[in-house]
Amino acid sequence: MIDEMKERVFKANLKLPELGLVVLTWGNVSEINRELGVIVIKPSGLDYSQMTSSQMVVTDMEGEPLEGGLKPSSDLKSHVILYQHFEEISAIVHTHSRYAVSWSQSGRDLPVYGTTHADTFYGPVPTTRQLNNDEVDNEYEMNTGKVIVKTFQERQLSPLAIPGILVNGHGPFTWGANPNEAVENSLVLDEICSMAQLTETIMTSDNFLPQYVLDKHYFRKHGKNAYYGQK
């Protein structure tokens, strides 16, 4: 089963450069199996073109490696914090994709301007506050995870309804029920950031999507009465 996790995580990581969501080694995908008590994640700083599935790093639920070999991604502690607090999710993606990073650097939440956004995110995508100096100097990656969790708690958001966030001055984290879904959510987030940026260059007054249209588009794909796609 762990070998199957490694293969899924490996393939999901390869999708990031294929989809234009990462350059160099700026991204990672992980998956958790709570029954086995393990997390599988991309190794730190390894070129995507040189990776193999066997090199994916296996850790315990606290992020301690269980096998010898390569070091896990430097963002592992962020993933661990999210898994500990968002029990509904099973995979996480972090990238430095161009449009999502641009929006995170603005410090603004991503508004809901259209149905493309509403199909995946049930409301604005939040941007966290900036980490303070002490949070950056001491356990930076762990505190990145904590500020994400704190943002969801303070705003009373569901990680299932809003499957991603923009970390202020840093970039996007997305998640899902499996690695492929988490990668898809990362792609959607980058696309809707791009669309929102273009929208704001031509709009002359606020034109947010009405709540009833948001409801329609989100719930036709999510929940017990969803009817989009094939059964």
Side-chain angles (χ1 to χ4, degrees), residues 12-13 19 75 100-102 151 167 190 195 198 200 220 229:
N13 272 288
L19 294 171
D75 295 303
V101 166
S102 297
T151 301
V167 177
D190 200 62
M195 292 175 179
L198 290 170
E200 292 191 353
R220 73 176 187 164

Side-chain angles (χ1 to χ4, degrees), residues 25-130:
T25 61
W26 302 348
N28 45 73
V29 181
S30 73
E31 181 181 359
I32 191 171
N33 186 311
R34 300 179 194 279
E35 292 182 0
L36 292 178
V38 300
I39 296 169
V40 175
I41 193 168
K42 176 185 177 288
S44 178
L46 199 65
D47 190 295
Y48 288 89
S49 65
Q50 299 175 3
M51 289 194 313
T52 64
S53 61
S54 64
Q55 292 173 320
M56 299 300 102
V57 181
V58 182
T59 78
D60 64 17
M61 302 287 272
E62 302 297 322
E64 293 298 323
L66 296 176
E67 303 174 344
L70 299 172
K71 295 189 302 182
S73 166
S74 58
D75 295 303
L76 173 61
K77 290 185 178 180
S78 302
H79 291 233
V80 169
I81 294 295
L82 296 181
Y83 285 133
Q84 289 174 347
H85 289 85
F86 297 166
E87 296 182 356
E88 310 97 322
I89 70 175
S90 296
I92 296 170
V93 174
H94 171 53
T95 75
H96 288 256
S97 60
R98 180 172 300 150
Y99 295 105
V101 166
S102 297
W103 204 275
S104 75
Q105 291 175 172
S106 78
R108 296 174 53 202
D109 291 354
L110 180 68
V112 185
Y113 285 133
T115 59
T116 311
H117 182 132
D119 280 339
T120 302
F121 293 87
Y122 188 50
V125 179
T127 297
T128 70
R129 64 167 174 81
Q130 289 275 14

Side-chain angles (χ1 to χ4, degrees), residues 3-4 10 19 25-26 35 43 74 82 95 97 103 105 132 135 141 149 153 162-163 166 188 202 208 218 224 228:
D3 285 343
E4 293 173 357
F10 168 66
L19 294 171
T25 61
W26 302 348
E35 292 182 0
S74 58
L82 296 181
T95 75
S97 60
W103 204 275
Q105 291 175 172
N132 61 41
E135 289 170 327
E141 290 81 12
V149 171
Q153 291 173 340
I162 307 290
L166 300 165
V188 170
I202 57 177
F208 303 115
Y218 184 80
K224 65 179 181 179
Y228 178 88

Side-chain angles (χ1 to χ4, degrees), residues 118-120 122 158 160-161 181 214-231:
D119 280 339
T120 302
Y122 188 50
S158 163
L160 293 182
E181 183 177 285
L214 172 62
D215 290 345
K216 181 65 175 181
H217 269 261
Y218 184 80
F219 289 112
R220 73 176 187 164
K221 294 184 76 173
H222 308 272
K224 65 179 181 179
N225 295 320
Y227 61 87
Y228 178 88
Q230 305 301 317
K231 293 184 178 180

